[in-house]
Amino acid sequence: MIPLPDNSALQPAATVPIKKEEAREQARLVAGLRFCWSKIPYNSLRPVVFHIPNGGSRDAREASNLKVQGVLAGVPDLCVVLPEGGIIWIEMKARDGRVSVAQVNLHAHFTELGHRIIVAYSAEEALDKLREVLN
C-alpha cells in the first residue's frame, strides 16, 4: 500500500508564496507527497511525482521550439509514477478553472490506454482522489 499524507499535513495555502491558485495548490500537493514518500526506504517502492511544464507564456520562437521537441496540448500537470509500472496523471485547476477541449480529448485517450486521470481543484481534493484510486 502506498502511503499518502493526511490533508492536515499539507502546508497551509496562506503560507505558500505563490499567487496563482492552481500553481499554489499544485505546489502544496507535490511538497506533501514528496515529503511523505521520502520516508519510504526502498526506491523500488517509492513513487515519483513530477510536473510537466506545458503551460505558461512564451514567445513564438520558444513555443515553436517546444512543440517540435514534443510539447503536447492537454497533457496533465503532474505525473505520478508508481511501483510496478503504474501511472496516475493529475490535472490541477483553480476553483473557477475549466478543463480545456484539448485536455478532455487527451484525458480520454489516456484513459483508453489504461491510465488513470485525476482532475482536482485543491491539494486536499487531489489527495482524496488519490486515496480512492490507490485503495
Side-chain angles (χ1 to χ4, degrees), residues 76 82 86-90 110-111 114-118 133-135:
L82 302 169
I87 293 178
I88 299 172
W89 298 93
I90 302 174
F110 279 14
T111 300
H115 291 248
R116 293 170 281 188
I117 308 283
I118 291 172
V133 168
L134 293 173
N135 292 327

Side-chain angles (χ1 to χ4, degrees), residues 37-84:
W37 294 340
S38 71
K39 298 174 184 176
I40 299 172
Y42 303 106
N43 280 341
S44 63
L45 300 175
R46 187 181 309 132
V48 176
V49 60
F50 61 93
H51 171 61
I52 293 94
N54 268 358
S57 53
R58 298 177 171 91
D59 63 34
R61 176 187 237 173
E62 182 66 11
S64 176
N65 227 358
L66 290 172
K67 189 172 183 177
V68 170
Q69 293 177 57
V71 166
L72 181 63
V75 172
D77 298 305
L78 297 171
C79 181
V80 179
V81 180
L82 302 169
E84 300 182 12

